[in-house]
Amino acid sequence: MKLLLPDSIDLDLRLPDDVHAVRYAIARPVPDADVDAEVLVVWGNEAAQVRDAARRLTRVRWVQTLAAGPDVVLQAGFAPDVVVTGGRGLHDHTVAEHTLALTLAAARRVHLLARAQVGHRWAGEWGGLQPVHEADSFRTLRGARVVIWGFGGIAGTLAPLLAALGAHVTGVARSPGRREGFDVVAAADLPVLLPRTDVLIMILPATPETSRALDADLLALLPVHAWLVNVGRGSTVDADAVLTAIRAGRLGGAALDVFDTEPLAPDSALWDEPNIIISPHAAGGRPIGAAQRVTENLAAFRAGRPMRDVVR
C-alpha cells in the first residue's frame, strides 16, 4: 500500500512494513510515479492541487485531511466510494487559544492601542481610571454574555476558558441540550438570544447550509456594542453586512480570522476599519496529534474497523 504524505508537516509515523510512505509537495501536482497511491493525506493544499489529485489518483481509496473543516477535499471531486476522514479535534486547543486572544483583544481594545502606538500617541482614553461597570458596552469578559455558534470540540475547549474569566456562555448547534456543562440551543433560538449577546463567536464549517448563515438580518438583532469573532469559515458570514453595520454604528466591531478569499485583497475595505481586527487565518495551523490520527485511522482502514471523524 502506498501512502502519500504532504511536505507541509513532519509526521513521525510507525507504519507496517507493507505500507510505503511517499512525501509529496503540496504546491505541485502529485508526480506521475505516485498516482497509484491508495491513501492521500492532505494538509495546507490549495484547492486546485487537491482537485488535480482527485482526477489523477484513480486508485485512491481513502483521503485523510488534517484540517478541522474538510470542505476542500469534499469539493475536490473524489469518487463517491473514496472514504474521507477529517481533522476534528486536532485543532481544539490552538483555535480556542487564538479565539480567546481575539476576544480579549476586542474587550481591552488592543487593536486601538496598537494603532495609537504606531502614531506615537498616548491613548489615555483607554488607560487610567475606568468604570467598574459599564452598561451597554463590551469591555471585559467578566459578566459578558457570549454566544458560540458551532458548538463542537473547539467550542468545548473554549467555553471553560471564557467562563473562567467570568463570561456567561451559551452554545448554538444543530441539536440543543447540555454539553461540556453549558447550555446549547438550536439556531432557531438565535432571534431570542442575539439581542442580549455581548460577543458572538462563529465556529461554523463551510457547507451549503452555513453559507452566509450570519447575514444582515441576524446582525441587526445584536446590540450596538456587541462584537463578532469568526474563526470558522469566511463563507459563513456576510462580511459586507458586517462592515456596513460597524460603519453605521449598529455593531461594536469584529475580529475576523477567516475570509471568503484568502489572502484578503489589499484593497479590501475591511483593512481600514478601526474596529475590525484582521487575523490571517492564524487560529489553527498546528494539528496536534496528527501523526496519531493518521496511524490509528490507517490501522482501522486496513482492518475494516470504524475510522475516526469519517465525513464521507
Side-chain angles (χ1 to χ4, degrees), residues 132-150:
V132 175
H133 301 288
E134 199 165 354
D136 299 326
S137 178
F138 172 55
R139 293 293 309 280
T140 176
L141 280 173
R142 176 175 38 83
R145 298 157 299 184
V146 180
V147 172
I148 305 178
W149 191 358

Side-chain angles (χ1 to χ4, degrees), residues 147-149 200-204 213-214 228-232 236-237:
V147 172
I148 305 178
W149 191 358
L200 172 61
I201 298 175
M202 304 282 292
I203 320 181
L204 289 176
L214 184 63
L228 165 69
V229 179
N230 188 15
V231 294
T236 66
V237 171

Side-chain angles (χ1 to χ4, degrees), residues 233-258:
R233 286 291 184 266
S235 62
T236 66
V237 171
D238 186 338
D240 290 337
V242 170
L243 180 61
T244 298
I246 292 173
R247 285 179 168 175
R250 298 194 304 269
L251 186 67
L256 307 175
D257 184 57
V258 288

